[in-house]
Amino acid sequence: MGMFTSGFPSLHCNIDVGCKKCNDMEDVGDNPGITIKQEIKQEIKQEIIEDASKEEPEKETLPETVILNTELEKYWKAVRDNPSDFTGWTYLLQYVEQENKIEAAREAYDAFFGHYPYCYGYWKKYADMEKRHGNLEKATEVFDKGVVAIPLSIELWLHYINFYIGEYTSTEQGESDIRKLYERALSAAGHDFRSDKLWDSYISWEKDQERVTALYTRLLAIPTQLYSHHFDNFKQHVYMHNPKEILSLDDFLKLRQDVVAKSTNMDEEDEDAVPVGDVAPPGEEDVPPGMETGGGKGDEAEINKIKERIIQIQEGTFKKTEEEVSKRWNYEEAIKRPYFHVKPLERSQLKNWREYLDYEMQNGNYTRVVTLFERCMIASALYEDFWMKYAKYMEDHGAEGVRNVYTRACKVHLPKKPYIHLAWAAFEERQGNHSAAWEILANLDKAVPGLVMVSMRRISLERRTGSKEDAEALFQEYIENAAQPEIGSYFSIKYARYLLKICGEREQAKKILAEAIEKDKGNLKLYLQLIDLEYQNFPVDEEHITEVFSMILECENFPLETKVKMSQRKLEFLEDFGGEISKLKEAYDEHQKLMKDLHAEHKKRPHETSGHSHEEPSEKRAKNESVQNGAGDMSVPPDGGHANYPYHWGGYQNSGYNYAPQWGGHYGTGYHHGYHQS
C-alpha cells in the first residue's frame, strides 16, 4: 500500500517513450506544446506600444516591464476564461519559461498542475527552471510533488533520481538517501508492466552485490515487458561473482549444504581410490569454497555447482513470470497511447482498457489491479466511467481508497461531470458523512447550474436527513429560479408530492400546484397531478375533481385532441364515482360536442395541407392522420359519433384507459439524463 498513500498516481504523459506534447516543444500546429514564435510576441508588443501612444502621445515606448506584464496578463486571461483550454496553458508556460521570471513561472506552473497534473514533462521543466535559478531545495520539492501526482511515471522518477544523484551523492547521507528514493520509486511503480528502465537503473547504480541479487529476486517475480532480458542479466551476474559475494551468509551456507549433501555419496564411493599421501595435512588443506581470504583457490567445482543451484532456483520463478506475461501480452500490445492527452481515445483503445481491467480484476492480486487502474487512468482521465469502475473496485478495500479516487476525479479531472459527483455524494452518504455529501452536491450545483438530477439529489439528501425546512427552501429556490416554465412545473409537481406523501400537507400541496398552473397554464402534467391528488382523498371529492377537468376543457392553451381525451376521462370518473346521473348526462353532451368539433377539424385538414401524395390510398391516409393527430382509438367515426359510436349515451364503454399519470416521459428523461436549463 505504500505506493498509494500519497494520493495514487495521476496521469502522466508517457511512461516510457514520452509525450509529444511535453517533449517535442519545437513542433508547430495541432501540438499543444507549440513554441510561441517571436513574431507573435513582437505583434503583441507593437499593439501595446501603439495603444499606449494613442493615450499618451508624448511617450514613444513603454518600459519593458510594463510590456512583459501586459503580455503575461493576456496569456493569463485566456486560461482564466477557459481553464480547459490546454493549448492556452502551454502558451502561458512557454512564455514564462522564455522570460525566465521565476515568480511568474511558479504561479503559472502551480495553476496549470491544478488542472493537468498528469503531464510529467512539465513537472521536469518546472524543476529544471528552479535548478537553473540555484534553488535546489525548490527543485527537489517540485520533483517530489510530481511523483506524488504521478507515481507511475517511470520517466519522471528517473529524472528525479538522476537529479538527486547529481546533486547529493557527495553528501554524508547521499548514498542512503538515493537508495531510499529508488525504493520509493519501486514501491510506487515497480509493478508496472513497463517499469524495466527503473529496475535497470537501480541495479546499475547499486554497488553492493548482495543487494543486487535481492533486487533481481524481486524483479524476476514481476511480469514486465523485458522479463527475459532481466533473467539473462541475472545469470550473467551470478556467473561473474563468487556466491559468497552475492548472497547473505545464511543463504550461502544453506545452498552449500545442499550441494555438499548431494555429492556426499559419490565422494564415499570413491574414497578408496584416493592415493595415500594425496591429502594435505590438517591445517594446510584448501580453504572451503567461497570462504577464501586471498590465500587459497578453493573448490571451483563446488562453487560452480552453487552458482548453478542459484540459477536453478530462479528458473522456476522465471517460468511462472513468463506465463503471466504471455497472458497479458496482447492487451499490452494493443495499448497505443499510454500517456495523457486531451484528445479522445479511439474506441478500440477504450475497449482494450476495459477488457484488460476485467481480466486483471479476475486474475490479478490487489497490487497489480490497482497498478493497472492507475495506468489506465493516465490515458483515460477524462472518461467518467473508468473512474467509477475504479471507485467501485476500491469499495471492497477500504473507504479511504474510494474517497481518494473520487477526490482526484471530481476535483481535478472531471469538475463538471455530474454522474461521478453524484456517485461520490452517494458514497459519502452511505458512510454517514452527510456534510461531505452536501458539500459535493452544492459545489456541483454551483459549477453546473440547472441540472435537475443534481437539484433533486440535494433535496433528497435534505429529506433523508430530516431537514424539512431546508428541503422546502430548496424546492422554492428551484421553482423561483427556473429558467423555463416547464422546469418550474417539474419542481412544483415534485414539491407537491413531497408535501402530500412525506409531510401530509394536502392543502399546501394543492396550493403549490395551483400557483404552478398560473405560471404554466398549458402544462397538462400539472392538471393531472392535481387530479391525482384529489383522487387520493377519502372519500373522493367529486366537485373538486370535476372543477379540475373543467379547467382543462376551458383552457385555451390545449388543442382540441387533448380536450377530447380529458373529456373522456371526465366521463370515466363520473361513471365510476359520480353521484348524480344528470351530471353524467351533461358531461356526455359536452363530450359529443367536442367530438363533432374534432371531426369538423379533421375534415378541413386535408385541404389545408399539401403534404399528402395524390396517389396515397385514402384508407392509409386516414390511418396516418389518426396517428398524427394523436387520436388513436379516439379518432372520429364516419357518422360523427352518433348511435353506432361506442361512446353513445346508451352504450358508454370504458376504454380501459389507465388513468394513472405517467411521469417517465419528458420529465423522467430530464431527470435521468441531466435536463439543463438554458
Side-chain angles (χ1 to χ4, degrees), residues 8-13 117-120 123 145-154 156-157 378:
F8 292 85
S10 303
L11 275 118
H12 61 94
C13 286
Y118 288 0
C119 292
Y120 89 88
W123 284 107
K145 289 181 179 178
V147 295
V148 168
I150 332 169
L152 283 187
S153 176
I154 305 300
L156 187 57
W157 275 114
I378 291 167

Side-chain angles (χ1 to χ4, degrees), residues 32 106 348 358 362 370 379 414 422 508 567 576 622 673:
R106 287 172 180 168
S348 59
D358 290 340
Q362 291 178 353
V370 172
L414 306 170
L422 294 177
Q508 183 64 17
S567 175
D576 293 340
H673 296 284

Side-chain angles (χ1 to χ4, degrees), residues 268-315:
E268 290 178 351
E269 292 174 359
D270 296 341
E271 63 182 0
D272 295 336
V274 178
V276 179
D278 283 359
V279 181
E284 297 182 11
E285 66 272 10
D286 287 343
V287 178
M291 300 295 290
E292 301 90 340
T293 59
K297 179 179 179 182
D299 190 342
E300 292 294 336
E302 187 173 285
I303 291 176
N304 289 334
K305 289 180 181 179
I306 295 176
K307 290 181 178 181
E308 291 173 1
R309 179 58 180 157
I310 294 172
I311 294 173
Q312 183 183 13
I313 291 173
Q314 293 302 328
E315 278 181 345

Side-chain angles (χ1 to χ4, degrees), residues 63-117:
E64 183 70 15
T65 55
V66 175
I67 296 175
L68 293 178
N69 289 338
T70 308
E71 288 180 350
L72 181 60
E73 184 56 34
K74 287 189 175 183
Y75 289 117
W76 266 112
K77 185 178 185 303
V79 296
R80 287 183 181 126
D81 292 345
N82 184 13
S84 62
D85 179 11
F86 188 91
T87 304
W89 282 106
T90 61
Y91 283 135
L92 172 63
L93 297 181
Q94 186 68 16
Y95 176 80
V96 296
E97 185 174 359
Q98 288 176 352
E99 297 304 327
N100 204 28
K101 304 293 183 181
I102 190 62
E103 292 298 333
R106 287 172 180 168
E107 183 181 7
Y109 275 111
D110 289 343
F112 169 76
F113 289 128
H115 297 279
Y116 299 101

